[in-house]
Amino acid sequence: MNGPVYIIEEKKLRRNLQLIADVARKADVEIILAFKAFALWKTFPIFREYIKSTTASSLSEARLAMEEFGAPAHTFSPAYTDDEIDQMVACSSHLTFNSLSQYERYHERVGDSVSIGLRVNPEYSEVETLLYNPCAPGTRFGVTADKLPEQLPADIEGFHCHCHCESGADVLQRTLVHIEEKFARWFPQLKWLNLGGGHLMTRKDYDVPLLIHLLKGLHERYPWLKIILEPGSAFAWQTGPLVSHVVDIVEDKGISTAILDVSFTCHMPDCLEMPYFPEVRGARHVDEEEASSLLSTPSVPLYRLGGNSCLSGDFMAAWAFDKPLRVGDEVVFEDMIHYTTVKTNMFNGISHPSIAMLHEDGQLELLREYTYEDYRARMD
């Protein structure tokens, strides 16, 4: 493949899936895939060997669950609409309302075959980046305890609480204190509790035994509740890179920028939003102070990495490489499968990376290649 490509590695994906399946079995919980982080549907046959369900936040994701994963979704949307609610119900096993007003508007259209839930806000989250903090003051997500009636409507069977982002088990331990303090008095009226996503159990330093211990403790305290987790990143964490290429090297004020055939704003948006500094193979990221000192050290190849779009800020700084870069060299961004592949866009119409899978037998299979027709169809 000559152009840029996302490569998902089957061996690493199965490693994550096996760990997640083991946690689900040992803790007696259900762990489902959140499409908002990973939705490469050509890999779903592999997922079905380990999990049974997925979670959707839109009609398109709900249809993907039914039509490609082969099972109805656990669905949550900040706001359902008149023209989509019936289709979303048809694609769902569980449907969670974000507010009491949404519940009042639509609950009678759900029917008996779908379990209704309500998203709640424990008013506690350790997510420091406000862009990703669902419990920040003024949040549009969930109902706080002071707004709930003592007796829930009879058809509300579950609570959904999401307040993590790539968090550890210790964060869940502290968060559960607030969830139970705020909402445990309603648990006898419920059948299930969805603890949302952000549980990064496949990260190397994640305390998996603590997670299992915490979930078992929940079962002991509330044995009638089915516990559900819906991580996204954990499934595709460290499962493959984005391979790009140097197309030019420009210099200004002593700063060298390697312009690539990919874009941060188009193909790696979290790098600018979070900001998240990815690992680059054969290089190390350096902070602004170290970068300034290295500018006077010609023996260290130091580069900004620039995207190939017209956005002035489509770059990240700075990386010290093992050797000088040349036009045509590969620049490999590690861990670029989760979130990136679902958040990409075609701004500027620049070449969109292909998607491939590296199978366990070493064969590289091209899953998807993007063309001008894909760009044109978005404007049709």
Side-chain angles (χ1 to χ4, degrees):
M1 298 179 189
N2 296 323
V5 58
Y6 296 101
I7 301 176
I8 182 166
E9 300 179 35
E10 182 182 357
K11 182 177 181 179
K12 294 178 179 179
L13 177 63
R14 286 187 179 275
R15 174 200 63 198
N16 287 354
L17 285 164
Q18 187 61 62
L19 185 149
I20 290 168
D22 288 345
V23 170
R25 176 180 54 81
K26 292 175 181 177
D28 190 23
V29 300
E30 183 172 19
I31 304 179
I32 61 181
L33 169 66
F35 285 157
K36 67 179 181 180
F38 183 90
L40 298 181
W41 55 269
K42 289 183 179 179
T43 67
F44 288 174
I46 296 175
F47 276 77
R48 288 302 303 265
E49 297 177 30
Y50 300 88
I51 65 171
K52 296 180 180 179
S53 298
T54 60
T55 180
S57 296
S58 65
L59 177 55
S60 291
E61 288 187 345
R63 286 188 59 181
L64 195 71
M66 282 292 287
E67 297 174 18
E68 301 298 341
F69 195 84
H74 293 238
T75 300
F76 163 80
S77 174
Y80 301 102
T81 60
D82 288 340
D83 59 334
E84 291 187 349
I85 181 66
D86 294 333
Q87 296 177 77
M88 294 185 82
V89 168
C91 295
S92 303
S93 61
H94 298 66
L95 190 138
T96 295
F97 290 103
N98 184 55
S99 67
L100 290 169
S101 56
Q102 278 265 300
Y103 165 81
E104 290 293 341
R105 185 180 182 90
Y106 292 120
H107 78 103
E108 292 182 354
R109 292 169 66 171
V110 174
D112 297 334
S113 62
V114 177
S115 182
I116 291 177
L118 188 66
R119 180 159 176 168
V120 294
N121 175 12
E123 302 176 81
Y124 177 85
S125 175
E126 297 185 20
V127 179
E128 295 181 356
T129 303
L130 288 182
L131 182 67
Y132 297 99
N133 187 346
C135 299
T139 181
R140 70 188 195 281
F141 291 129
V143 181
T144 52
D146 61 301
K147 296 177 182 176
L148 289 174
E150 286 301 318
Q151 183 62 43
L152 296 173
D155 56 353
I156 291 180
E157 297 184 339
F159 278 173
H160 177 171
C161 183
H162 173 69
C163 43
H164 295 110
C165 178
E166 298 186 355
S167 304
D170 58 319
V171 179
L172 175 62
Q173 186 172 36
R174 293 187 290 272
T175 304
L176 283 175
V177 174
H178 294 266
I179 294 174
E180 293 183 69
E181 181 182 273
K182 296 278 187 178
F183 299 109
R185 67 178 182 269
W186 286 283
F187 287 178
Q189 302 176 44
L190 303 177
K191 295 182 179 179
W192 52 267
L193 175 65
N194 186 328
L195 294 174
H199 310 276
L200 195 49
M201 61 191 76
T202 52
R203 189 177 61 201
K204 287 182 179 179
D205 63 347
Y206 191 96
D207 192 342
V208 173
L210 176 59
L211 174 64
I212 294 171
H213 172 75
L214 294 172
L215 296 174
K216 284 183 174 181
L218 270 180
H219 277 305
E220 292 174 1
R221 295 190 294 278
Y222 316 104
W224 63 90
L225 284 182
K226 179 178 181 179
I227 307 299
I228 304 163
L229 282 72
E230 48 177 46
S233 296
F235 283 94
W237 185 258
Q238 296 287 350
T239 56
L242 170 59
V243 179
S244 69
H245 307 85
V246 178
V247 293
D248 197 12
I249 298 175
V250 297
E251 185 273 336
D252 184 65
K253 308 299 183 187
I255 298 172
S256 295
T257 300
I259 300 179
L260 310 174
D261 58 359
V262 294
S263 160
F264 290 101
T265 191
C266 296
H267 310 135
M268 297 171 277
D270 277 359
C271 293
L272 299 183
E273 291 175 358
M274 189 70 170
Y276 159 69
F277 295 98
E279 289 187 22
V280 176
R281 195 173 298 175
R284 63 182 181 87
H285 181 258
V286 297
D287 60 25
E288 186 175 344
E289 182 178 351
E290 184 179 0
S292 296
S293 66
L294 288 176
L295 286 175
S296 59
T297 311
S299 60
V300 179
L302 184 71
Y303 299 92
R304 280 183 177 178
L305 298 178
N308 201 13
S309 80
C310 291
L311 176 68
S312 297
D314 189 3
F315 72 88
M316 294 195 76
W319 275 267
F321 278 77
D322 295 341
K323 58 183 180 179
L325 293 176
R326 295 178 174 81
V327 171
D329 284 351
E330 285 189 350
V331 174
V332 180
F333 295 92
E334 305 287 8
D335 193 24
M336 277 292 153
I337 301 299
H338 60 93
Y339 277 104
T340 52
T341 51
V342 295
K343 295 179 74 172
T344 59
N345 62 74
M346 292 186 170
F347 169 65
N348 259 183
I350 63 176
S351 297
H352 196 285
S354 301
I355 300 174
M357 173 176 279
L358 180 63
H359 289 288
E360 290 184 297
D361 62 4
Q363 294 297 310
L364 187 67
E365 177 188 4
L366 180 64
L367 300 180
R368 181 71 157 89
E369 189 172 21
Y370 295 87
T371 65
Y372 162 73
E373 283 70 27
D374 293 298
Y375 170 71
R376 181 179 179 276
R378 292 167 68 92
M379 315 298 163
D380 192 354

